[in-house]
Amino acid sequence: MEIDNLTPAELRVWRAFPRGESVNFRAGDDEDTADGAGWEPERTVRAAVLRALLLNGPQEDGEIAALKLSGARITGVLDLRYGTADHAVRLSHCFFEEAPLLYGARLRQLNLSWSVLPGLTAATMKVEGVLRMTDCRLRGPVRLGGAQIAGALFLDRAHLTSPDGSEPMLQLNQVTIGDDLWAPGLRIDGEMRLNGANIAGSVNLNEARLSRPGHHALDAETLTVEGDLLMRNAQVRGWIGLRGGRVAGRLDLSYAILSNPGDAALRASSCTIGELWLRKSPRLDGTLNLRRAQIDVLFLEPEVVPSEVLLSSLVYTTLTPHEPAERRLPMLERDGDGHVPHSYEQLTAAYLRIGDDRAARLVQLAKQRRHRTTLPWYGRLWGHVQDATVGYGFRPLRACVWLLSLLAIGSVAYALHHPRPLKPSEAPDFNPVFYTLDLLLPVISFGQEGAFAPEGPYQTLSYALVIAGWILATTVFAGVTRTVSRQ
């Protein structure tokens, strides 16, 4: 490009470039960049001029060239596809009439903060430093799929919106970021795609607003985050998909509002997570899917648990905060897969690790009662008997109460009406207490039962005591066996 063809504004930018000087066309700090379409020609720069500077601009010995431009209206397409720019690029507070094309470009550093753009196409781009899009406003999709950013990606308070929503608004699929993805206050009216991304630092989405009701709001399947994934105070309308992802640190959803009625609000199946925090938030409006997830610390408050969960094969080491079993069990009863024994075993193990044996027993009792509902009628009947007598072995004192009650009934009945002796000359002295014990205890014999024969209703009572004794003995034995095997 001939320098003679440059406008005064472009000439100013051209001359500042070799020395890395800043050119500022802004009328004031309170100026709204969204009004850039009406800016006068004195602050208009053609994208072709910027392209020429970045690819083959003038150099000065002893100076570090850089493109630093603020408050300009940039016309035309900034096309750097497959190009290499060895200079820092800062185009802040600029109004772009057309979306830049940076597909496959190699840049030293790129700063588009506070600018307004109709979109950005920069898939497979490589940035040696950081990519800053702080407070950017974009009216079309940002395509960064497969990009490699050696430093951090800044999207704090950026606002992405699209009139049609035909494709994801923020495409970071398969992106590689050598530092943090820093995006607190990010607002997206559409989908944010992070599936397959690899982030060496943390992801900060605190106070983000993601809206795509009924669909993916955050698609982050197979995402890898070496640090934390922070979404404190975030509001998500739509569902978060983290299937197969790995978060080495903390997935923090404290104070977050997740809403996707009629479908999943959070899908974190087959995930590996250091700590998952669901606390200080309203109840999830949608399903919580943690199938096959592996979590070291699950910080889950009962008030946050939605009306339906999916917990099949979920594994966690620590469950906090410590809550009574009565407050945790409703979560297992809401499992959309029905009776999931593994979920009860996981909760039992969590209580046993902290020494709360009582809560562990309550969980196991609830497991047996839930299992009973899946049995045929005769299985349910026998289950009710075990439950009423000894609480499936987890309440053995009940057997003592039953035995003492039956002993009292039998002793009084046979004390008032002695059964006749079978062989009066050989029969021992009748003792109603030990006679009743002989009937109740199927193994121990005091020599009373075989020596006397009750008649009429007292014979029926003896049969009832024998049957009750066998039932109690069987249920106690089953409970003890279950307890020993569990230990």
Side-chain angles (χ1 to χ4, degrees):
M1 173 178 293
E2 295 292 338
I3 196 169
D4 294 340
N5 294 330
L6 300 179
T7 65
E10 294 168 347
L11 183 59
R12 184 178 168 187
V13 176
W14 191 277
R15 288 174 177 172
F17 174 80
R19 297 184 295 275
E21 296 177 348
S22 298
V23 178
N24 188 0
F25 291 115
R26 299 185 69 200
D29 292 340
D30 58 348
E31 183 179 55
D32 189 354
T33 308
D35 298 330
W39 289 345
E40 59 276 4
E42 288 75 13
R43 53 191 303 185
T44 300
V45 178
R46 289 170 291 171
V49 175
L50 303 181
R51 181 179 187 274
L53 282 172
L54 293 174
L55 298 181
N56 195 26
Q59 304 286 323
E60 286 190 15
D61 294 338
E63 300 290 345
I64 300 176
L67 178 59
K68 299 178 180 179
L69 177 60
S70 298
R73 177 166 65 99
I74 299 175
T75 60
V77 179
L78 179 56
D79 189 349
L80 293 174
R81 286 176 291 180
Y82 305 106
T84 299
D86 294 325
H87 318 290
V89 181
R90 189 185 71 196
L91 300 170
S92 61
H93 297 94
C94 290
F95 181 89
F96 288 78
E97 289 190 347
E98 298 189 50
L101 296 179
L102 308 179
Y103 185 93
R106 304 294 184 265
L107 304 178
R108 182 69 59 86
Q109 182 174 321
L110 179 59
N111 187 343
L112 298 171
S113 298
W114 298 285
S115 293
V116 176
L117 305 92
L120 176 65
T121 299
T124 71
M125 176 180 66
K126 288 186 177 181
V127 181
E128 295 179 10
V130 302
L131 172 55
R132 289 186 179 272
M133 300 181 69
T134 299
D135 284 294
C136 273
R137 283 172 284 178
L138 296 110
R139 303 181 302 276
V142 175
R143 305 181 182 95
L144 285 168
Q148 299 180 35
I149 303 170
L153 170 58
F154 292 89
L155 282 161
D156 37 322
R157 299 179 303 280
H159 187 191
L160 287 71
T161 183
S162 176
D164 54 14
S166 57
E167 62 177 300
M169 282 300 301
L170 180 57
Q171 301 174 28
L172 296 172
N173 46 298
Q174 311 301 326
V175 72
T176 300
I177 299 176
D179 203 330
D180 295 339
L181 169 53
W182 195 260
L186 173 68
R187 291 184 296 161
I188 301 179
D189 298 325
E191 178 185 341
M192 178 178 181
R193 180 169 293 179
L194 268 171
N195 56 307
N198 193 315
I199 299 168
S202 296
V203 177
N204 188 331
L205 290 170
N206 290 337
E207 300 181 359
R209 302 292 184 266
L210 310 179
S211 180
R212 194 171 180 242
H215 302 280
H216 260 122
L218 174 58
D219 180 4
E221 294 186 357
T222 66
L223 166 70
T224 299
V225 180
E226 299 299 338
D228 300 327
L229 175 51
L230 307 176
M231 297 187 69
R232 296 171 67 93
N233 288 296
Q235 294 184 17
V236 181
R237 310 292 179 185
W239 51 280
I240 300 175
L242 293 169
R243 183 178 62 85
R246 186 176 75 87
V247 180
R250 181 173 77 252
L251 172 55
D252 192 348
L253 290 161
S254 303
Y255 305 95
I257 298 175
L258 308 184
S259 176
N260 191 36
D263 201 347
L266 174 61
R267 295 181 180 178
S269 56
S270 303
C271 279
T272 301
I273 302 172
E275 299 182 17
L276 173 57
W277 287 22
L278 286 164
R279 54 185 288 274
K280 305 299 181 184
S281 303
R283 173 175 290 186
L284 270 66
D285 189 5
T287 304
L288 173 62
N289 186 345
L290 296 176
R291 286 178 178 144
R292 302 177 300 281
Q294 297 186 31
I295 303 170
D296 288 338
V297 178
L298 178 57
F299 197 133
L300 178 61
E301 293 181 343
E303 295 80 8
V304 181
V305 178
S307 57
E308 182 178 7
V309 297
L310 298 171
L311 306 176
S312 177
S313 299
L314 166 66
V315 177
Y316 50 86
T317 303
T318 302
L319 179 62
T320 190
H322 179 60
E323 296 278 357
E326 293 84 354
R327 282 174 53 79
R328 293 292 187 189
L329 286 171
M331 174 179 69
L332 307 187
E333 296 167 0
R334 300 171 191 169
D335 199 310
D337 293 329
H339 174 49
V340 181
H342 180 268
S343 300
Y344 289 88
E345 294 299 327
Q346 276 293 298
L347 185 55
T348 299
Y351 280 123
L352 289 176
R353 288 189 191 97
I354 60 175
D356 194 342
D357 294 336
R358 176 187 175 276
R361 289 193 299 271
L362 287 177
V363 174
Q364 285 294 309
L365 178 57
K367 173 189 171 185
Q368 296 298 326
R369 288 172 172 170
R370 184 76 181 275
H371 174 65
R372 184 174 67 209
T373 63
T374 66
L375 300 176
W377 69 268
Y378 49 85
R380 293 195 300 274
L381 178 60
W382 177 238
H384 281 293
V385 171
Q386 293 189 81
D387 195 358
T389 53
V390 291
Y392 286 98
F394 298 104
R395 292 177 176 173
L397 290 179
R398 282 188 180 180
C400 297
V401 174
W402 281 104
L403 283 172
L404 291 174
S405 300
L406 293 173
L407 177 62
I409 293 172
S411 299
V412 171
Y414 293 118
L416 296 175
H417 298 84
H418 289 197
R420 64 178 180 81
L422 293 176
K423 297 179 179 181
S425 60
E426 301 177 5
D429 294 337
F430 179 74
N431 187 309
V433 175
F434 285 94
Y435 180 75
T436 305
L437 283 175
D438 255 353
L439 296 173
L440 285 172
L441 302 179
V443 177
I444 300 174
S445 175
F446 295 99
Q448 294 279 318
E449 180 184 0
F452 297 92
E455 298 176 344
Y458 297 99
Q459 186 178 32
T460 304
L461 175 60
S462 69
Y463 295 155
L465 290 174
V466 170
I467 294 173
W470 275 106
I471 291 176
L472 287 172
T474 303
T475 52
V476 169
F477 177 77
V480 171
T481 302
R482 188 183 299 114
T483 302
V484 171
S485 63
R486 194 170 60 250
Q487 298 297 330

